[in-house]
Amino acid sequence: MSSRGVAVLGSTGSIGCSTLAVLDRHRARFRLVAITGGSNAPKLEAQVAEWRPAFAGLVRGSGPGGAGTNGIACGREALLEAATHPDVDIVVNAVVGFAGLEATIAALRAGKRVALANKESLVVAGELVERARREGGGELVPVDSEHSAVLQCLSDRSAPISRLILTASGGPFRDWDPARMAGATIAEALNHPTWRMGSKITVDSATLANKAMEVIEAHYLFGLGFDAIDVVVHPQSIVHALVEFADGSVLGQMGFPSMELPILYALTHPERLPDAGVRRFDPVAASPLTFEPLQRERFRAFVAGIEAGRAGGTAPAVFNAANEVAVAGFLVGAIPFGRIAPVIETVVARHQPIPVGVLADVEEADRSARAAATELVGASPWA
Ligand code: NAD
Ligand code: MG
């Protein structure tokens, strides 16, 4: 494998920093060509000083399209410029939320490999992303640990999958009663038992909206109907996914919870590179491994997400937007944890889904759902 150019979108975040840690161990194989951050200028500047990438951009910097300090570009266009940079072969999209969508599409249209952490791209516009991949000749490789696990189980691509089982840790409230969960504090929601992640996905993991998004993500990545994708709660987060074949045989992928391994695999797929930085597996230390059913009645955001995925069209984009607004509202103390799911349910129920033809369809669904959710969050009485 010759040296490949990499862009890391969202380089200042949890996945972005893990990606740089992986790249640091493989400097002979990969060159960091472009990085972008959302708003953390000091961190981005430190990364620029260390890596000297050809391009760096700060999306929420001073004014659109302007040049910031230290040669760092500013504004939304910076994401697209990094995603389509001519020296870039692989785009790691580690932006959080709807904001990552355009860059995913642009990179695939430019024929790049997209190592996709930004699952929201597939949730809100799975069909458009797939079309961009097909037409641009790009390649879509998941970073999400569950989907990386599935990909790693598919060495024999001629055998069709009969069922996927995605594992879910169950989050911090797995065994809390509903009343206690409804009043959970921000600190409690951010205290994930097995993963250290950005705050939005950590709250999504507490409501299990994240797992619904992952089911939609798997639907698009692996071309499976919703009836063929199951979720099981596995509190230890050691088995990342299970793949069942027609004869009933099941393959799984295991490892201690760390995103560095799926990030590395998304860069090297279908090859593997030796990496001494990943903790070696120890089945005894990982024991016991347990599995339990997901209690749907307690995780209504999960149910709303699956229903939106099944409805298709603009429904998943509406689900995603309502979730982003509700989670942001919870994180600033505007609504209690127990209001997140009702806000999503109300916004999704009011929406009449239409088929997605072009990006503007998704953008309009996103915009109107954000407005509706913002109103509900503003009107929420604090319990
Ligand atoms: P994070 O909040 O730690 O980082 C997000 C990054 O995106 C930061 O660099 C931030 O500056 C940037 N950003 C935020 N808003 C932006 C905007 N409007 N425009 C451009 N850039 C923006 O989040 P994270 O935990 O690293 O998650 C990133 C993505 O990866 C999410 O889609 C998440 O669901 C997915 N993911 C994360 C993990 C994990 O372990 N952290 C695991 C699986 C999937
Ligand atoms: Mg995941």
Side-chain angles (χ1 to χ4, degrees), residues 98-191:
F98 185 87
L101 171 63
E102 257 190 306
T104 298
I105 290 180
L108 291 171
R109 286 215 173 276
K112 315 286 190 197
R113 166 180 290 200
V114 174
L116 188 72
N118 180 256
K119 65 190 85 186
E120 292 90 344
S121 289
L122 281 173
V123 171
V124 303
E127 282 153 35
L128 298 183
V129 169
E130 172 54 19
R131 192 192 302 163
R133 187 198 62 74
R134 217 173 39 240
E135 292 176 359
E139 194 187 358
L140 193 58
V141 185
V143 165
D144 220 344
S145 54
E146 295 80 359
H147 308 75
S148 175
V150 173
L151 186 65
Q152 294 179 59
C153 290
L154 297 184
S155 52
D156 182 3
R157 290 187 153 262
S158 60
I161 304 174
S162 61
R163 185 169 60 120
L164 277 190
I165 306 171
L166 302 182
T167 54
S169 71
F173 308 138
R174 179 176 62 89
D175 49 13
W176 287 33
D177 68 60
R180 186 175 169 214
M181 189 166 129
T185 65
I186 297 170
E188 286 166 338
L190 291 180
N191 185 26

Side-chain angles (χ1 to χ4, degrees), residues 98 101 124-125 128 314 317 356 358-367:
F98 185 87
L101 171 63
V124 303
L128 298 183
T314 47
V356 171
V358 290
L359 187 58
D361 297 334
V362 180
E363 287 172 340
E364 170 53 24
D366 176 80
R367 197 199 53 72

Side-chain angles (χ1 to χ4, degrees), residues 119-120 123 144 168 170 181 200-217 231 294 298-306 319-320 322-324 326-327 337 340-341 344:
K119 65 190 85 186
E120 292 90 344
V123 171
D144 220 344
M181 189 166 129
K200 190 258 183 183
I201 184 178
T202 305
V203 176
D204 289 348
S205 300
T207 62
L208 288 178
N210 179 58
K211 210 48 61 177
M213 291 198 275
E214 293 186 352
V215 169
I216 300 172
E217 185 185 6
V231 172
L294 190 150
R298 288 182 45 227
F299 294 102
R300 286 160 51 185
F302 172 84
V303 175
I306 298 295
F319 160 75
N320 176 73
N323 181 57
E324 285 192 29
V327 170
F337 186 82
I340 296 175
I344 298 170

